[in-house]
Amino acid sequence: MHLEILSAVDRRGSLTAAAKALDLTQSALSHSIHKLEESLGVELWRRKGRTLRLTQAGEYLLSVANRIAPQITHAEETLRLFADGQRGTLRIGMECHPCYQWLLKIASPYLAAWPGVDMDVKQKFQFGGIGALFGHEIDLLVTPDPLRKPGLRFEPVLDYEQVLAVGPQHPLRTASHARPEQLAEETLITYPVPIDRLDVYNQFLTPAGVSPKRHQPIETTDIMLLMVASGRGVAALPRWLVEQYAGTLDITAVKLGRTGIAKQIFLGFREADAEIDYLRAFIAMARAYKDTRQ
């Protein structure tokens, strides 16, 4: 309750508004604030007219409350699910645009195998997933670029090759592989990701001192590959994804360089959660899954 009081008073700015939001009388809220400050031995708020302003101690306590509030909320939700006879919700964060298509292949059999476990997929964690794991906002992070941190574990679940997708009239369509300089006059279509996180740049173009004529970020895979198929540019994507779309679009996967670009999809999770059975089951299913087009 104390954490709720801190947040409510800070958001609403006055006792009257905060009391209404918390469904308390103003006197009850004033008493709670007084008891909290008395128990801590420090002043948390100062009055300024009709408003309340946090002191330095109050600002510190609020920052701590904001960090642990998601954990408390998750714990309460999980306990309610246990009380209802369910196991909980597996919350998955995506730090990989094309991985969503891969995830869908695993989600259906997983949900069938674990009827007491729900699944929630959050795609807002493009390159902010580590903080989401530590903040207990997600339970699993799907990423091709694991960032090793104490308290976290990353397990590889899928090997794949990053390739160049080209359209039906593209001169590289029949080539054994693409060379960096051959992209110098191309429009390179990518997901809206910082260039230093794009493998086609940091493992292919940049080491060769080459830049494409134009870089065009596009968020959705469908539109990206429609652009490629219509000859508007080329795109660097996982081979399995290009070959999956090649069934409906006239596109071809071309190796990037003589040796190609080998990548892996990793699942990251908190070490403290390593023995949760339904989390381990998802990792095992992800590792066992093989796309027929790989």
Side-chain angles (χ1 to χ4, degrees), residues 140-171:
L140 277 175
L141 177 65
V142 182
T143 179
D145 302 300
L147 187 60
R148 310 291 180 176
K149 293 281 187 180
L152 298 182
R153 187 184 302 177
F154 288 89
E155 294 192 10
V157 293
L158 181 68
D159 297 327
Y160 69 94
E161 180 188 2
Q162 191 85 340
V163 298
L164 192 70
V166 301
Q169 306 302 321
H170 199 281

PDB file of all heavy atoms in Angstrom, residues 140-171:
ATOM      1  N   LEU A 140      11.171 -14.332 -20.726  1.00  0.00           N
ATOM      2  CA  LEU A 140      12.084 -14.810 -21.756  1.00  0.00           C
ATOM      3  C   LEU A 140      12.344 -13.694 -22.750  1.00  0.00           C
ATOM      4  O   LEU A 140      11.429 -12.944 -23.098  1.00  0.00           O
ATOM      5  CB  LEU A 140      11.491 -16.009 -22.514  1.00  0.00           C
ATOM      6  CG  LEU A 140      11.616 -17.407 -21.917  1.00  0.00           C
ATOM      7  CD1 LEU A 140      10.847 -18.402 -22.789  1.00  0.00           C
ATOM      8  CD2 LEU A 140      13.071 -17.834 -21.791  1.00  0.00           C
ATOM      9  N   LEU A 141      13.590 -13.612 -23.213  1.00  0.00           N
ATOM     10  CA  LEU A 141      13.955 -12.626 -24.233  1.00  0.00           C
ATOM     11  C   LEU A 141      14.461 -13.360 -25.461  1.00  0.00           C
ATOM     12  O   LEU A 141      15.388 -14.165 -25.378  1.00  0.00           O
ATOM     13  CB  LEU A 141      15.046 -11.687 -23.706  1.00  0.00           C
ATOM     14  CG  LEU A 141      15.578 -10.655 -24.715  1.00  0.00           C
ATOM     15  CD1 LEU A 141      14.471  -9.672 -25.098  1.00  0.00           C
ATOM     16  CD2 LEU A 141      16.779  -9.914 -24.140  1.00  0.00           C
ATOM     17  N   VAL A 142      13.834 -13.099 -26.612  1.00  0.00           N
ATOM     18  CA  VAL A 142      14.272 -13.678 -27.879  1.00  0.00           C
ATOM     19  C   VAL A 142      15.205 -12.680 -28.550  1.00  0.00           C
ATOM     20  O   VAL A 142      14.803 -11.558 -28.854  1.00  0.00           O
ATOM     21  CB  VAL A 142      13.069 -13.978 -28.799  1.00  0.00           C
ATOM     22  CG1 VAL A 142      13.542 -14.625 -30.095  1.00  0.00           C
ATOM     23  CG2 VAL A 142      12.063 -14.875 -28.093  1.00  0.00           C
ATOM     24  N   THR A 143      16.450 -13.082 -28.774  1.00  0.00           N
ATOM     25  CA  THR A 143      17.437 -12.153 -29.328  1.00  0.00           C
ATOM     26  C   THR A 143      18.500 -12.897 -30.129  1.00  0.00           C
ATOM     27  O   THR A 143      18.875 -14.012 -29.767  1.00  0.00           O
ATOM     28  CB  THR A 143      18.114 -11.340 -28.204  1.00  0.00           C
ATOM     29  OG1 THR A 143      19.085 -10.453 -28.770  1.00  0.00           O
ATOM     30  CG2 THR A 143      18.805 -12.247 -27.186  1.00  0.00           C
ATOM     31  N   PRO A 144      19.006 -12.285 -31.206  1.00  0.00           N
ATOM     32  CA  PRO A 144      20.144 -12.867 -31.921  1.00  0.00           C
ATOM     33  C   PRO A 144      21.474 -12.359 -31.372  1.00  0.00           C
ATOM     34  O   PRO A 144      22.536 -12.823 -31.789  1.00  0.00           O
ATOM     35  CB  PRO A 144      19.921 -12.391 -33.358  1.00  0.00           C
ATOM     36  CG  PRO A 144      19.237 -11.078 -33.194  1.00  0.00           C
ATOM     37  CD  PRO A 144      18.407 -11.158 -31.936  1.00  0.00           C
ATOM     38  N   ASP A 145      21.417 -11.390 -30.445  1.00  0.00           N
ATOM     39  CA  ASP A 145      22.633 -10.750 -29.930  1.00  0.00           C
ATOM     40  C   ASP A 145      22.601 -10.701 -28.408  1.00  0.00           C
ATOM     41  O   ASP A 145      22.261  -9.669 -27.820  1.00  0.00           O
ATOM     42  CB  ASP A 145      22.778  -9.329 -30.513  1.00  0.00           C
ATOM     43  CG  ASP A 145      22.820  -9.330 -32.026  1.00  0.00           C
ATOM     44  OD1 ASP A 145      23.740  -9.959 -32.581  1.00  0.00           O
ATOM     45  OD2 ASP A 145      21.924  -8.724 -32.643  1.00  0.00           O
ATOM     46  N   PRO A 146      22.934 -11.815 -27.744  1.00  0.00           N
ATOM     47  CA  PRO A 146      22.859 -11.845 -26.280  1.00  0.00           C
ATOM     48  C   PRO A 146      23.895 -10.933 -25.633  1.00  0.00           C
ATOM     49  O   PRO A 146      25.025 -10.821 -26.110  1.00  0.00           O
ATOM     50  CB  PRO A 146      23.148 -13.314 -25.950  1.00  0.00           C
ATOM     51  CG  PRO A 146      23.961 -13.809 -27.099  1.00  0.00           C
ATOM     52  CD  PRO A 146      23.440 -13.082 -28.303  1.00  0.00           C
ATOM     53  N   LEU A 147      23.483 -10.275 -24.574  1.00  0.00           N
ATOM     54  CA  LEU A 147      24.373  -9.427 -23.789  1.00  0.00           C
ATOM     55  C   LEU A 147      24.546 -10.096 -22.428  1.00  0.00           C
ATOM     56  O   LEU A 147      23.623 -10.125 -21.621  1.00  0.00           O
ATOM     57  CB  LEU A 147      23.775  -8.029 -23.638  1.00  0.00           C
ATOM     58  CG  LEU A 147      24.646  -6.959 -22.980  1.00  0.00           C
ATOM     59  CD1 LEU A 147      25.924  -6.746 -23.783  1.00  0.00           C
ATOM     60  CD2 LEU A 147      23.868  -5.649 -22.845  1.00  0.00           C
ATOM     61  N   ARG A 148      25.715 -10.660 -22.215  1.00  0.00           N
ATOM     62  CA  ARG A 148      25.946 -11.455 -20.996  1.00  0.00           C
ATOM     63  C   ARG A 148      26.012 -10.557 -19.765  1.00  0.00           C
ATOM     64  O   ARG A 148      26.809  -9.618 -19.706  1.00  0.00           O
ATOM     65  CB  ARG A 148      27.257 -12.229 -21.112  1.00  0.00           C
ATOM     66  CG  ARG A 148      27.404 -13.015 -22.413  1.00  0.00           C
ATOM     67  CD  ARG A 148      26.461 -14.192 -22.494  1.00  0.00           C
ATOM     68  NE  ARG A 148      26.603 -14.932 -23.752  1.00  0.00           N
ATOM     69  CZ  ARG A 148      25.967 -16.038 -24.049  1.00  0.00           C
ATOM     70  NH1 ARG A 148      25.138 -16.564 -23.168  1.00  0.00           N
ATOM     71  NH2 ARG A 148      26.129 -16.626 -25.215  1.00  0.00           N
ATOM     72  N   LYS A 149      25.162 -10.839 -18.802  1.00  0.00           N
ATOM     73  CA  LYS A 149      25.109 -10.080 -17.559  1.00  0.00           C
ATOM     74  C   LYS A 149      24.963 -11.042 -16.392  1.00  0.00           C
ATOM     75  O   LYS A 149      24.293 -12.069 -16.510  1.00  0.00           O
ATOM     76  CB  LYS A 149      23.907  -9.124 -17.565  1.00  0.00           C
ATOM     77  CG  LYS A 149      23.990  -7.989 -18.584  1.00  0.00           C
ATOM     78  CD  LYS A 149      24.892  -6.878 -18.104  1.00  0.00           C
ATOM     79  CE  LYS A 149      24.841  -5.689 -19.024  1.00  0.00           C
ATOM     80  NZ  LYS A 149      25.717  -4.598 -18.574  1.00  0.00           N
ATOM     81  N   PRO A 150      25.579 -10.736 -15.222  1.00  0.00           N
ATOM     82  CA  PRO A 150      25.384 -11.582 -14.046  1.00  0.00           C
ATOM     83  C   PRO A 150      23.902 -11.675 -13.696  1.00  0.00           C
ATOM     84  O   PRO A 150      23.187 -10.669 -13.714  1.00  0.00           O
ATOM     85  CB  PRO A 150      26.164 -10.837 -12.945  1.00  0.00           C
ATOM     86  CG  PRO A 150      27.172 -10.017 -13.680  1.00  0.00           C
ATOM     87  CD  PRO A 150      26.513  -9.619 -14.957  1.00  0.00           C
ATOM     88  N   GLY A 151      23.446 -12.888 -13.424  1.00  0.00           N
ATOM     89  CA  GLY A 151      22.050 -13.090 -13.075  1.00  0.00           C
ATOM     90  C   GLY A 151      21.176 -13.476 -14.251  1.00  0.00           C
ATOM     91  O   GLY A 151      20.016 -13.836 -14.065  1.00  0.00           O
ATOM     92  N   LEU A 152      21.743 -13.426 -15.469  1.00  0.00           N
ATOM     93  CA  LEU A 152      20.996 -13.811 -16.664  1.00  0.00           C
ATOM     94  C   LEU A 152      21.688 -14.980 -17.357  1.00  0.00           C
ATOM     95  O   LEU A 152      22.900 -15.147 -17.249  1.00  0.00           O
ATOM     96  CB  LEU A 152      20.889 -12.650 -17.657  1.00  0.00           C
ATOM     97  CG  LEU A 152      20.159 -11.394 -17.202  1.00  0.00           C
ATOM     98  CD1 LEU A 152      20.115 -10.380 -18.335  1.00  0.00           C
ATOM     99  CD2 LEU A 152      18.745 -11.708 -16.700  1.00  0.00           C
ATOM    100  N   ARG A 153      20.909 -15.777 -18.060  1.00  0.00           N
ATOM    101  CA  ARG A 153      21.460 -16.892 -18.834  1.00  0.00           C
ATOM    102  C   ARG A 153      20.863 -16.858 -20.241  1.00  0.00           C
ATOM    103  O   ARG A 153      19.682 -16.562 -20.408  1.00  0.00           O
ATOM    104  CB  ARG A 153      21.114 -18.221 -18.152  1.00  0.00           C
ATOM    105  CG  ARG A 153      21.796 -19.430 -18.794  1.00  0.00           C
ATOM    106  CD  ARG A 153      21.330 -20.730 -18.135  1.00  0.00           C
ATOM    107  NE  ARG A 153      21.594 -20.755 -16.700  1.00  0.00           N
ATOM    108  CZ  ARG A 153      21.227 -21.757 -15.912  1.00  0.00           C
ATOM    109  NH1 ARG A 153      20.585 -22.814 -16.421  1.00  0.00           N
ATOM    110  NH2 ARG A 153      21.491 -21.726 -14.620  1.00  0.00           N
ATOM    111  N   PHE A 154      21.689 -17.135 -21.229  1.00  0.00           N
ATOM    112  CA  PHE A 154      21.236 -17.182 -22.622  1.00  0.00           C
ATOM    113  C   PHE A 154      21.558 -18.552 -23.198  1.00  0.00           C
ATOM    114  O   PHE A 154      22.679 -19.031 -23.084  1.00  0.00           O
ATOM    115  CB  PHE A 154      21.926 -16.097 -23.458  1.00  0.00           C
ATOM    116  CG  PHE A 154      21.451 -14.706 -23.160  1.00  0.00           C
ATOM    117  CD1 PHE A 154      22.056 -13.952 -22.155  1.00  0.00           C
ATOM    118  CD2 PHE A 154      20.395 -14.153 -23.860  1.00  0.00           C
ATOM    119  CE1 PHE A 154      21.613 -12.677 -21.863  1.00  0.00           C
ATOM    120  CE2 PHE A 154      19.943 -12.876 -23.578  1.00  0.00           C
ATOM    121  CZ  PHE A 154      20.549 -12.132 -22.577  1.00  0.00           C
ATOM    122  N   GLU A 155      20.548 -19.157 -23.809  1.00  0.00           N
ATOM    123  CA  GLU A 155      20.735 -20.470 -24.413  1.00  0.00           C
ATOM    124  C   GLU A 155      20.420 -20.393 -25.900  1.00  0.00           C
ATOM    125  O   GLU A 155      19.355 -19.887 -26.281  1.00  0.00           O
ATOM    126  CB  GLU A 155      19.841 -21.510 -23.734  1.00  0.00           C
ATOM    127  CG  GLU A 155      20.210 -21.764 -22.276  1.00  0.00           C
ATOM    128  CD  GLU A 155      19.514 -22.984 -21.703  1.00  0.00           C
ATOM    129  OE1 GLU A 155      18.904 -23.745 -22.481  1.00  0.00           O
ATOM    130  OE2 GLU A 155      19.590 -23.166 -20.465  1.00  0.00           O
ATOM    131  N   PRO A 156      21.323 -20.895 -26.769  1.00  0.00           N
ATOM    132  CA  PRO A 156      21.037 -20.904 -28.207  1.00  0.00           C
ATOM    133  C   PRO A 156      19.989 -21.958 -28.529  1.00  0.00           C
ATOM    134  O   PRO A 156      20.034 -23.064 -27.997  1.00  0.00           O
ATOM    135  CB  PRO A 156      22.396 -21.262 -28.830  1.00  0.00           C
ATOM    136  CG  PRO A 156      23.113 -22.030 -27.755  1.00  0.00           C
ATOM    137  CD  PRO A 156      22.650 -21.456 -26.445  1.00  0.00           C
ATOM    138  N   VAL A 157      19.029 -21.587 -29.370  1.00  0.00           N
ATOM    139  CA  VAL A 157      17.959 -22.535 -29.704  1.00  0.00           C
ATOM    140  C   VAL A 157      17.828 -22.777 -31.206  1.00  0.00           C
ATOM    141  O   VAL A 157      17.175 -23.737 -31.618  1.00  0.00           O
ATOM    142  CB  VAL A 157      16.596 -22.063 -29.139  1.00  0.00           C
ATOM    143  CG1 VAL A 157      16.613 -22.102 -27.614  1.00  0.00           C
ATOM    144  CG2 VAL A 157      16.238 -20.665 -29.628  1.00  0.00           C
ATOM    145  N   LEU A 158      18.437 -21.912 -32.024  1.00  0.00           N
ATOM    146  CA  LEU A 158      18.298 -22.100 -33.471  1.00  0.00           C
ATOM    147  C   LEU A 158      19.477 -21.491 -34.205  1.00  0.00           C
ATOM    148  O   LEU A 158      19.820 -20.329 -33.986  1.00  0.00           O
ATOM    149  CB  LEU A 158      17.000 -21.462 -33.970  1.00  0.00           C
ATOM    150  CG  LEU A 158      16.723 -21.600 -35.479  1.00  0.00           C
ATOM    151  CD1 LEU A 158      16.438 -23.058 -35.841  1.00  0.00           C
ATOM    152  CD2 LEU A 158      15.551 -20.714 -35.894  1.00  0.00           C
ATOM    153  N   ASP A 159      20.127 -22.282 -35.054  1.00  0.00           N
ATOM    154  CA  ASP A 159      21.171 -21.775 -35.942  1.00  0.00           C
ATOM    155  C   ASP A 159      20.515 -21.349 -37.253  1.00  0.00           C
ATOM    156  O   ASP A 159      19.611 -22.024 -37.751  1.00  0.00           O
ATOM    157  CB  ASP A 159      22.201 -22.869 -36.246  1.00  0.00           C
ATOM    158  CG  ASP A 159      22.933 -23.339 -34.999  1.00  0.00           C
ATOM    159  OD1 ASP A 159      23.143 -22.517 -34.093  1.00  0.00           O
ATOM    160  OD2 ASP A 159      23.268 -24.533 -34.938  1.00  0.00           O
ATOM    161  N   TYR A 160      20.953 -20.232 -37.795  1.00  0.00           N
ATOM    162  CA  TYR A 160      20.422 -19.806 -39.086  1.00  0.00           C
ATOM    163  C   TYR A 160      21.485 -19.000 -39.840  1.00  0.00           C
ATOM    164  O   TYR A 160      22.513 -18.608 -39.276  1.00  0.00           O
ATOM    165  CB  TYR A 160      19.140 -18.993 -38.930  1.00  0.00           C
ATOM    166  CG  TYR A 160      19.294 -17.618 -38.313  1.00  0.00           C
ATOM    167  CD1 TYR A 160      19.460 -16.486 -39.108  1.00  0.00           C
ATOM    168  CD2 TYR A 160      19.261 -17.442 -36.933  1.00  0.00           C
ATOM    169  CE1 TYR A 160      19.583 -15.221 -38.547  1.00  0.00           C
ATOM    170  CE2 TYR A 160      19.377 -16.190 -36.358  1.00  0.00           C
ATOM    171  CZ  TYR A 160      19.543 -15.078 -37.170  1.00  0.00           C
ATOM    172  OH  TYR A 160      19.669 -13.838 -36.609  1.00  0.00           O
ATOM    173  N   GLU A 161      21.216 -18.761 -41.095  1.00  0.00           N
ATOM    174  CA  GLU A 161      22.130 -17.995 -41.943  1.00  0.00           C
ATOM    175  C   GLU A 161      21.450 -16.707 -42.388  1.00  0.00           C
ATOM    176  O   GLU A 161      20.307 -16.710 -42.824  1.00  0.00           O
ATOM    177  CB  GLU A 161      22.523 -18.808 -43.180  1.00  0.00           C
ATOM    178  CG  GLU A 161      23.474 -18.058 -44.113  1.00  0.00           C
ATOM    179  CD  GLU A 161      23.704 -18.783 -45.427  1.00  0.00           C
ATOM    180  OE1 GLU A 161      23.098 -19.855 -45.627  1.00  0.00           O
ATOM    181  OE2 GLU A 161      24.471 -18.262 -46.268  1.00  0.00           O
ATOM    182  N   GLN A 162      22.169 -15.596 -42.233  1.00  0.00           N
ATOM    183  CA  GLN A 162      21.682 -14.322 -42.746  1.00  0.00           C
ATOM    184  C   GLN A 162      22.018 -14.234 -44.233  1.00  0.00           C
ATOM    185  O   GLN A 162      23.170 -14.454 -44.631  1.00  0.00           O
ATOM    186  CB  GLN A 162      22.349 -13.159 -41.986  1.00  0.00           C
ATOM    187  CG  GLN A 162      21.746 -11.807 -42.234  1.00  0.00           C
ATOM    188  CD  GLN A 162      20.553 -11.532 -41.337  1.00  0.00           C
ATOM    189  OE1 GLN A 162      19.972 -12.471 -40.802  1.00  0.00           O
ATOM    190  NE2 GLN A 162      20.179 -10.289 -41.170  1.00  0.00           N
ATOM    191  N   VAL A 163      21.020 -13.960 -45.078  1.00  0.00           N
ATOM    192  CA  VAL A 163      21.228 -13.940 -46.526  1.00  0.00           C
ATOM    193  C   VAL A 163      20.671 -12.648 -47.112  1.00  0.00           C
ATOM    194  O   VAL A 163      20.003 -11.860 -46.432  1.00  0.00           O
ATOM    195  CB  VAL A 163      20.549 -15.149 -47.211  1.00  0.00           C
ATOM    196  CG1 VAL A 163      21.149 -16.456 -46.719  1.00  0.00           C
ATOM    197  CG2 VAL A 163      19.034 -15.118 -46.984  1.00  0.00           C
ATOM    198  N   LEU A 164      20.935 -12.453 -48.401  1.00  0.00           N
ATOM    199  CA  LEU A 164      20.407 -11.307 -49.129  1.00  0.00           C
ATOM    200  C   LEU A 164      19.198 -11.759 -49.942  1.00  0.00           C
ATOM    201  O   LEU A 164      19.286 -12.702 -50.733  1.00  0.00           O
ATOM    202  CB  LEU A 164      21.478 -10.738 -50.058  1.00  0.00           C
ATOM    203  CG  LEU A 164      21.169  -9.375 -50.684  1.00  0.00           C
ATOM    204  CD1 LEU A 164      21.223  -8.279 -49.619  1.00  0.00           C
ATOM    205  CD2 LEU A 164      22.149  -9.067 -51.812  1.00  0.00           C
ATOM    206  N   ALA A 165      18.070 -11.104 -49.748  1.00  0.00           N
ATOM    207  CA  ALA A 165      16.874 -11.392 -50.532  1.00  0.00           C
ATOM    208  C   ALA A 165      16.853 -10.469 -51.743  1.00  0.00           C
ATOM    209  O   ALA A 165      16.970  -9.240 -51.603  1.00  0.00           O
ATOM    210  CB  ALA A 165      15.621 -11.180 -49.693  1.00  0.00           C
ATOM    211  N   VAL A 166      16.719 -11.051 -52.954  1.00  0.00           N
ATOM    212  CA  VAL A 166      16.700 -10.258 -54.188  1.00  0.00           C
ATOM    213  C   VAL A 166      15.467 -10.633 -55.006  1.00  0.00           C
ATOM    214  O   VAL A 166      14.892 -11.715 -54.846  1.00  0.00           O
ATOM    215  CB  VAL A 166      17.981 -10.469 -55.021  1.00  0.00           C
ATOM    216  CG1 VAL A 166      19.215 -10.089 -54.209  1.00  0.00           C
ATOM    217  CG2 VAL A 166      18.090 -11.917 -55.491  1.00  0.00           C
ATOM    218  N   GLY A 167      15.079  -9.731 -55.912  1.00  0.00           N
ATOM    219  CA  GLY A 167      13.894  -9.925 -56.736  1.00  0.00           C
ATOM    220  C   GLY A 167      14.166 -10.704 -58.017  1.00  0.00           C
ATOM    221  O   GLY A 167      15.305 -11.108 -58.298  1.00  0.00           O
ATOM    222  N   PRO A 168      13.124 -10.898 -58.832  1.00  0.00           N
ATOM    223  CA  PRO A 168      13.216 -11.778 -60.006  1.00  0.00           C
ATOM    224  C   PRO A 168      14.162 -11.297 -61.099  1.00  0.00           C
ATOM    225  O   PRO A 168      14.719 -12.109 -61.841  1.00  0.00           O
ATOM    226  CB  PRO A 168      11.771 -11.845 -60.519  1.00  0.00           C
ATOM    227  CG  PRO A 168      11.113 -10.620 -59.969  1.00  0.00           C
ATOM    228  CD  PRO A 168      11.754 -10.378 -58.653  1.00  0.00           C
ATOM    229  N   GLN A 169      14.361  -9.996 -61.236  1.00  0.00           N
ATOM    230  CA  GLN A 169      15.221  -9.464 -62.294  1.00  0.00           C
ATOM    231  C   GLN A 169      16.594  -9.050 -61.788  1.00  0.00           C
ATOM    232  O   GLN A 169      17.379  -8.479 -62.551  1.00  0.00           O
ATOM    233  CB  GLN A 169      14.537  -8.244 -62.947  1.00  0.00           C
ATOM    234  CG  GLN A 169      13.130  -8.503 -63.456  1.00  0.00           C
ATOM    235  CD  GLN A 169      13.079  -9.619 -64.482  1.00  0.00           C
ATOM    236  OE1 GLN A 169      13.973  -9.733 -65.323  1.00  0.00           O
ATOM    237  NE2 GLN A 169      12.041 -10.449 -64.411  1.00  0.00           N
ATOM    238  N   HIS A 170      16.889  -9.335 -60.550  1.00  0.00           N
ATOM    239  CA  HIS A 170      18.149  -8.852 -59.979  1.00  0.00           C
ATOM    240  C   HIS A 170      19.328  -9.660 -60.522  1.00  0.00           C
ATOM    241  O   HIS A 170      19.265 -10.889 -60.623  1.00  0.00           O
ATOM    242  CB  HIS A 170      18.129  -8.940 -58.452  1.00  0.00           C
ATOM    243  CG  HIS A 170      19.140  -8.073 -57.795  1.00  0.00           C
ATOM    244  ND1 HIS A 170      20.466  -8.415 -57.702  1.00  0.00           N
ATOM    245  CD2 HIS A 170      19.009  -6.844 -57.228  1.00  0.00           C
ATOM    246  CE1 HIS A 170      21.118  -7.444 -57.084  1.00  0.00           C
ATOM    247  NE2 HIS A 170      20.263  -6.478 -56.780  1.00  0.00           N
ATOM    248  N   PRO A 171      20.436  -8.984 -60.877  1.00  0.00           N
ATOM    249  CA  PRO A 171      21.596  -9.694 -61.434  1.00  0.00           C
ATOM    250  C   PRO A 171      22.240 -10.687 -60.472  1.00  0.00           C
ATOM    251  O   PRO A 171      22.930 -11.612 -60.914  1.00  0.00           O
ATOM    252  CB  PRO A 171      22.563  -8.562 -61.802  1.00  0.00           C
ATOM    253  CG  PRO A 171      22.090  -7.362 -61.047  1.00  0.00           C
ATOM    254  CD  PRO A 171      20.619  -7.514 -60.916  1.00  0.00           C
TER     255      PRO A 171
END
